[in-house]
């Protein structure tokens, strides 16, 4: 993958903001003034995606853009994270977060600016790379919002902290930045804000979810042991495939019989591997599970029950030894501070119109934005509609699913999605920062 860095310059004439003292900084007119630069950045980032913890070019591009806006910039935080600080007198400290990384997905949108990048992943395997989750939209809006705020310092007081976080997709970036002193080496925020593009909302709309919006996630590996032998003489064996089958079925009773109906939880067995040939009973079977929940106590119950059932089924099947149960890839649920959410929903309703701001149900996907809330700071993530409104309406009428995030065919409706993202971010940041 070529790594030549294309520098995208963000420059605005001060006259844009001096023309009308009463015009809102987050107005459509102000946003339109930065839109060409934001679109140029988007196209650049979209065509140069990088995998988690390999975002060198992306981080350099964002750091350079912030420096040109007057931010005090530090790079390499949590390996590849970018932190930009802009102090503007006494007042609150507000942090705006974006993500840097892309996905190992082959883009099939057919767009003239589609990604054709391939690279080698950490296992040395060549993979395609694309911004199939919209982090390029997030970064472009983030830079546009930084431009708006940096050029209108007479409109706010306080400290603005912008962070470009690596490795959201592998849920290691936020914890890495915090471990590297994000809240100690730099001004600790009073609030942390983020947006995410949304494939289930039309462009021009913003969604919100008070409280839990994303799930706790755990990966579980279970190795079930048996005694292999000839498939024609099963009486001489202990068949781990049969034990595994019983285990898979029994695991489904955890959610249906041990967790309350109003407490969302998921246990999915996504992979079963065992055996090599039709007539050979293997010595072991390997199961891979994903486990989702919102509440900490529910997560604890699910994991304990999985281990209990796996051990009991192996014992009931006469296994020569207990199964090996391993837990990994843990990430915590995102809890949007209800009071902060309510406050900023009112701001967005005034800015965008009440009909364009809608409550959304929580999702069972993961998001390491949760780490900032765990560190003791109120957080909220908003969801910016990314679907062409006409296509959205047509899909709703026909029942045809639209490409989701992480799909090879996902592409945001660029201009209105960027405009709404910047308008929403600027409105929320101005509300939280101090007034002159």
């Amino acid at each position: 993958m070529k790594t030549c860095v294309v520098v995208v310059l963000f420059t605005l004439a001060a006259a844009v903001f001096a023309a009308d003292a009463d015009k809102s900084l987050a107005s459509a007119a102000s946003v339109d003034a930065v839109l060409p630069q934001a679109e140029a950045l988007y196209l650049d980032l979209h065509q140069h995606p990088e995998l988690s913890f390999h975002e060198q070019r992306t981080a350099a591009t964002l750091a350079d853009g912030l420096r040109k806006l007057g931010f005090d910039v530090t790079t390499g935080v949590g390996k590849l994270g970018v932190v930009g600080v802009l102090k503007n007198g006494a007042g609150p400290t507000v942090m705006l977060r974006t993500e840097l990384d892309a996905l190992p997905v082959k883009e099939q949108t057919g767009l003239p600016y589609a990604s054709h990048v391939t690279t080698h992943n950490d296992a040395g395997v060549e993979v395609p790379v694309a911004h199939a989750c919209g982090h390029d939209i997030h970064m472009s809006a983030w830079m546009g919002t930084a431009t708006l705020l940096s050029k209108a310092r007479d409109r706010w007081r306080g400290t603005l902290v912008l962070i470009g976080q690596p490795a959201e997709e592998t849920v290691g970036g936020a914890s890495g930045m915090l471990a590297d002193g994000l809240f100690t080496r730099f001004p600790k925020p009073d609030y942390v804000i983020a947006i995410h593009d949304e494939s289930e909302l039309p462009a021009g709309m913003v969604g919100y979810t008070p409280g839990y919006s994303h799930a706790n996630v755990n990966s579980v590996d279970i190795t079930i042991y048996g005694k292999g032998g000839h498939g024609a003489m099963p009486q001489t064996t202990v068949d781990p495939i049969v034990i595994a089958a019983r285990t898979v079925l029994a695991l489904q009773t955890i959610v249906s019989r041990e967790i309350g109906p109003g407490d969302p939880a998921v246990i999915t067995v996504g992979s079963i591997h065992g055996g090599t040939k039709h007539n050979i009973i293997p010595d072991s079977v390997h199961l891979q599970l994903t486990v989702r929940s919102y509440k900490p106590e529910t997560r604890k119950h699910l994991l304990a029950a999985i281990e209990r059932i796996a051990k009991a089924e192996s014992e009931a099947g006469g296994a020569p030894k207990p199964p090996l149960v391993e837990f990994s890839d843990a990430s915590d649920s995102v809890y949007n501070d209800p009071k902060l959410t309510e406050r900023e929903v009112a701001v967005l309703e005034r800015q965008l119109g009440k009909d364009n701001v809608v409550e959304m149900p929580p999702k069972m996907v993961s998001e390491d934005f949760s780490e900032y809330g765990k560190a003791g700071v109120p957080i909220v993530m908003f969801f910016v509609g990314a679907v062409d409104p006409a296509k959205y309406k047509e899909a709703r009428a026909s029942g045809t699913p639209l490409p989701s995030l992480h799909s090879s065919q996902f592409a945001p409706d660029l201009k209105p999605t960027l405009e709404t993202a910047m308008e929403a971010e600027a409105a929320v940041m101005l509300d939280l920062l101090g007034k002159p």
Side-chain angles (χ1 to χ4, degrees), residues 227-243:
K227 179 184 175 184
H230 202 294
M233 296 184 289
Q235 73 279 8
T236 66
T237 73
V238 175
D239 192 338
I241 291 179
V242 173
I243 297 173

Side-chain angles (χ1 to χ4, degrees), residues 26 79 283 296 380 426:
K79 192 172 181 180
D283 289 319
V380 63

Side-chain angles (χ1 to χ4, degrees), residues 139 258 269 317 342:
M139 289 185 278
E258 298 184 30
V269 180
E342 182 180 14

Side-chain angles (χ1 to χ4, degrees), residues 30-369:
S30 297
V31 166
D32 282 347
V34 303
L35 185 62
Q37 293 94 334
E39 286 184 313
L41 178 61
Y42 172 84
L43 295 175
D44 177 58
L45 294 170
H46 188 84
Q47 294 177 85
H48 298 88
E50 296 174 300
L51 294 178
S52 302
F53 282 133
H54 293 276
E55 310 97 327
Q56 290 92 344
R57 180 190 185 279
T58 304
T61 300
L62 296 195
D64 185 76
L66 289 183
R67 289 191 188 99
K68 286 176 166 54
L69 295 173
F71 282 76
D72 181 11
V73 177
T74 304
T75 58
V77 181
K79 192 172 181 180
L80 286 170
V82 177
V83 179
V85 178
L86 187 63
K87 295 182 178 181
N88 191 30
T93 297
V94 186
M95 180 176 286
L96 180 63
R97 173 263 207 171
T98 190
E99 318 94 303
L100 307 179
D101 54 338
L103 289 161
V105 171
K106 181 176 177 59
E107 182 172 350
Q108 299 183 69
T109 61
L111 292 167
Y113 52 83
S115 169
H116 299 288
V117 171
T118 60
T119 190
H120 288 86
N121 64 16
D122 291 337
V125 178
E126 187 174 22
V127 295
V129 191
H131 272 296
C133 198
H135 294 181
D136 45 359
I137 278 279
H138 306 170
M139 289 185 278
S140 304
W142 176 90
M143 188 67 80
T145 300
T147 303
L148 288 165
L149 293 169
S150 69
K151 297 297 182 180
R153 298 183 210 185
D154 59 326
R155 305 290 299 277
W156 58 275
R157 294 290 180 268
T159 299
L160 181 60
V161 182
L162 266 68
I163 65 167
Q165 178 205 304
E168 184 277 327
E169 296 294 354
T170 55
V171 298
S175 58
M177 291 189 76
L178 287 164
D180 199 13
L182 179 61
F183 284 179
T184 55
R185 294 167 53 194
F186 308 96
K188 184 174 181 178
D190 298 297
Y191 313 98
V192 183
I193 304 298
I195 63 153
H196 205 295
D197 61 327
E198 176 55 63
S199 61
E200 296 181 9
L201 276 182
M205 298 188 72
V206 171
Y208 66 93
T209 306
Y212 291 113
S213 64
H214 296 74
N216 295 311
V217 179
N218 289 88
S219 295
V220 184
D221 288 80
I222 303 174
T223 304
I224 295 171
Y225 300 103
K227 179 184 175 184
H230 202 294
M233 296 184 289
Q235 73 279 8
T236 66
T237 73
V238 175
D239 192 338
I241 291 179
V242 173
I243 297 173
R246 288 201 302 254
T247 301
V248 170
L249 292 175
L251 291 174
Q252 303 312 306
T253 66
I254 298 173
V255 173
S256 67
R257 291 296 178 269
E258 298 184 30
I259 304 299
D263 186 2
V266 172
I267 297 175
T268 293
V269 180
S271 168
I272 304 177
H273 289 280
T276 58
K277 202 174 187 305
H278 308 73
N279 62 347
I280 300 175
I281 293 173
D283 289 319
S284 65
V285 173
H286 183 213
L287 308 180
Q288 293 180 304
L289 289 66
T290 188
V291 183
R292 313 276 170 139
S293 61
Y294 293 121
K295 299 176 183 177
E297 60 271 25
T298 303
R299 172 192 237 173
K300 183 178 180 181
H301 184 113
L302 293 172
L303 298 180
I306 287 169
E307 189 165 18
R308 183 192 77 228
I309 285 175
K311 289 180 177 178
E313 290 293 349
S314 283
E315 184 176 358
K321 61 180 179 179
L324 176 64
V325 182
E326 301 172 290
F327 303 101
S328 62
D329 297 336
S331 64
D332 296 318
S333 55
V334 173
Y335 186 80
N336 292 310
D337 183 88
K339 289 184 178 179
L340 179 59
T341 304
E342 182 180 14
R343 171 180 170 178
E344 297 315 313
V345 164
V347 170
L348 292 172
E349 287 178 342
R350 290 194 298 270
Q351 183 66 38
L352 302 172
K354 194 166 185 177
D355 291 343
N356 291 321
V357 182
V358 296
E359 185 169 352
M360 300 187 70
K363 302 173 182 290
M364 277 290 177
V365 297
S366 65
E367 167 57 80
D368 71 353
F369 186 61

